[in-house]
């Protein structure tokens, strides 16, 4: 005996509105599912036949949840193959044959295949977009890592330069403190003591202090090697800063050795800059000593340029020293 499930308009629940985001092939499949569900006749466990079942009764009859059935009919989800086949076979059986449901199984299967392909194509586009975004992210991370490594390397080089300047300044102060007092400034007693010491040690001081000469040579070689490394690395600002610190903290012997070393390595631009900076920034007494050492080492041209440059900047270093001193 057939019975109606409610007084509502029959199969009103099958007429679902499809959202604007539902893709075209999904729309066609959802419309076909809505149509064949209108042919369902539900037989309850008590034996009652419901020719116009509710959505809840139809969902239980089709062995799916009511929410899942809603998503199928709204095109939000594409049902699996076996679910589509089960819904179609059940509707055909209830309607008395496939000719009564308005669509053949081949047409229904074709709609389902197209909806599946449309979903997979959309997923492929999302996967491609995600892959491209991942590649960009990895590239940005690699660039960020390179910048961090470059910054760390620059910080390390700067610390090395500062440590080297500190060592050079300490060595300069030590050697200046141990230099003997010139004869012109010493009293009669100090002159006699210097003469007595000279008679006991006839070796000249410049040639006798081998440890000092070795230290100055090592210092000059270090600065020359470091300047060459910075120049090869494309860092002219750091190279110029190193030359300025060297001109400020090095002894006349170290500067003369460094100039000759740079000339031997064909680093003429570095040598020219060092000579110019040293002659401009150091006291005349240091400049003269350096020029004398260069002349002794057959670097006559550099000695001449050093003196001429110092003459072109008279009193520059002395003026700065006087300004920094206490007022008279």
């Amino acid at each position: 005996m057939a019975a109606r499930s409610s007084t509502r308009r029959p199969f009103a629940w099958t007429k679902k509105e499809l959202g604007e985001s539902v893709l075209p092939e999904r729309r066609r499949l959802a419309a076909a599912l809505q149509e064949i569900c209108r042919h369902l006749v539900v037989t309850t466990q008590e034996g009652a036949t419901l020719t116009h079942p509710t959505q809840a009764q139809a969902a239980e009859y089709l062995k799916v949840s009511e929410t899942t059935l809603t998503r199928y009919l709204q095109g939000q989800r594409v049902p699996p193959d076996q679910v589509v086949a089960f819904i179609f076979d059940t509707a055909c059986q209830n309607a008395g044959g496939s000719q009564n449901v308005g669509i053949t199984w081949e047409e229904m299967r074709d709609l389902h295949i197209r909806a599946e392909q449309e979903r997979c194509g959309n997923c492929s586009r999302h996967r491609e977009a995600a892959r491209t975004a991942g590649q960009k992210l990895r590239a940005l991370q690699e660039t960020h890592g390179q910048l961090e490594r470059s910054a760390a390397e620059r910080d390390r080089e700067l610390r090395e330069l500062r440590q080297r300047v500190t060592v050079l300044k300490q060595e300069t102060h030590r050697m200046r403190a141990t230099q003997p007092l010139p004869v012109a400034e010493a009293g009669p007693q100090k002159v006699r003591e210097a003469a007595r010491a000279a008679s006991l040690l006839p070796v000249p001081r410049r040639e006798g202090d081998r440890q000092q000469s070795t230290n100055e040579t090592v210092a000059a070689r270090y600065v020359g090697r470091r300047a060459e490394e910075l120049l090869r690395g494309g860092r002219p600002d750091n190279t110029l800063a190193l030359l300025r610190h060297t001109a400020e903290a090095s002894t006349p012997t170290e500067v003369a050795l460094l100039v000759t070393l740079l000339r031997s390595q064909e680093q003429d631009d570095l040598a020219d800059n060092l000579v110019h900076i040293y002659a401009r920034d150091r006291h005349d007494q240091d400049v003269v000593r350096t020029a004398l050492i260069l002349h002794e080492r057959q670097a006559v041209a550099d000695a001449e340029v050093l003196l001429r440059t110092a003459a072109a900047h008279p009193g520059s270093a002395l003026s700065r020293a006087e300004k920094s001193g206490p007022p008279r």
Side-chain angles (χ1 to χ4, degrees):
M1 174 180 171
R4 294 184 179 273
S5 60
S6 69
T7 58
R8 296 180 59 190
R9 185 165 56 89
F11 295 104
W13 54 270
T14 61
K15 298 179 180 181
K16 305 289 187 184
E17 293 185 2
L18 305 180
E20 296 180 357
S21 61
V22 178
L23 300 176
E25 297 300 336
R26 285 194 178 193
R27 285 178 174 273
R28 295 186 181 94
L29 177 62
L33 290 173
Q34 291 180 16
E35 179 64 29
I36 65 176
C37 281
R38 297 188 184 104
H39 297 279
L40 294 175
V41 177
V42 175
T43 301
T44 65
Q45 295 179 354
E46 293 78 11
T49 302
L50 306 177
T51 58
H52 298 141
T54 64
Q55 180 174 337
Q57 293 167 341
E60 183 179 1
Y61 184 56
L62 296 173
K63 299 179 174 58
V64 295
S65 68
E66 187 175 356
T67 301
T68 300
L69 181 59
T70 297
R71 290 175 178 174
Y72 290 161
L73 299 179
Q74 289 181 336
Q76 296 178 358
R77 287 184 59 182
V78 176
D81 296 344
Q82 62 272 20
V83 174
V84 174
F86 180 72
I87 295 175
F88 182 82
D89 292 340
T90 303
C92 289
Q93 182 180 0
N94 295 158
S98 60
Q99 69 278 4
N100 296 326
V101 297
I103 187 172
T104 65
W105 167 242
E106 287 74 15
E107 293 173 339
M108 190 69 188
R109 183 175 58 183
D110 184 64
L111 289 175
H112 182 257
I113 292 174
R114 290 177 180 274
E116 283 282 355
Q117 292 175 345
E118 184 178 53
R119 180 184 66 175
C120 294
N122 194 44
C123 293
S124 299
R125 288 192 294 271
H126 286 303
R127 285 195 296 269
E128 181 64 22
R131 187 182 66 83
T132 303
Q135 291 177 344
K136 291 181 179 180
L137 177 61
R138 287 190 293 271
L140 290 174
Q141 290 174 341
E142 183 177 355
T143 302
H144 179 70
Q146 292 176 352
L147 291 175
E148 286 187 339
R149 289 191 294 271
S150 178
E153 178 66 17
R154 289 181 178 272
D155 290 341
R156 184 187 65 79
E157 292 178 352
L158 182 59
R159 288 195 300 270
E160 290 181 357
L161 285 174
R162 288 175 176 173
Q163 291 174 357
R164 181 56 188 164
V165 169
T166 301
V167 172
L168 290 175
K169 286 183 177 181
Q170 293 174 352
E171 184 68 15
T172 300
H173 293 326
R174 184 187 65 79
M175 288 188 294
R176 287 178 178 176
T178 58
Q179 285 181 354
L181 189 66
V183 175
E185 299 179 6
Q189 181 63 28
K190 292 182 178 180
V191 171
R192 288 193 297 270
E193 292 177 356
R196 188 181 304 111
S199 62
L200 294 177
L201 298 174
V203 180
R205 180 179 60 84
R206 179 175 55 83
E207 299 177 358
D209 194 349
R210 296 181 180 178
Q211 181 64 33
Q212 177 178 338
S213 177
T214 301
N215 292 339
E216 291 170 339
T217 303
V218 171
R221 289 177 179 174
Y222 174 84
V223 175
R225 183 171 62 255
R226 189 63 186 142
E228 185 177 4
E229 292 175 355
L230 292 175
L231 193 62
R232 283 202 308 266
R235 295 170 181 160
D237 293 340
N238 290 349
T239 305
L240 186 59
L242 176 63
L243 293 179
R244 286 176 176 170
H245 288 308
T246 302
E248 176 185 354
S250 300
T251 65
T253 302
E254 289 177 337
V255 173
L257 290 174
L258 181 55
V259 171
T260 56
L261 178 62
L262 293 175
R263 293 296 184 194
S264 66
Q265 296 175 348
E266 298 183 355
Q267 298 287 347
D268 294 328
D269 291 339
L270 293 178
D272 293 340
N273 288 334
L274 178 59
V275 169
H276 179 79
I277 294 173
Y278 188 82
R280 184 191 61 190
D281 294 346
R282 293 296 289 264
H283 288 281
D284 293 341
Q285 183 180 5
D286 294 335
V287 173
V288 172
R289 289 180 181 176
T290 306
L292 178 60
I293 298 173
L294 288 172
H295 189 274
E296 293 174 351
R297 292 182 171 271
Q298 307 302 318
V300 180
D302 285 319
E304 182 179 355
V305 172
L306 186 66
L307 293 174
R308 289 184 180 276
T309 305
H313 299 82
S316 58
L318 183 59
S319 300
R320 287 194 299 272
E322 290 177 351
K323 291 179 181 180
S324 62
R328 296 182 179 180

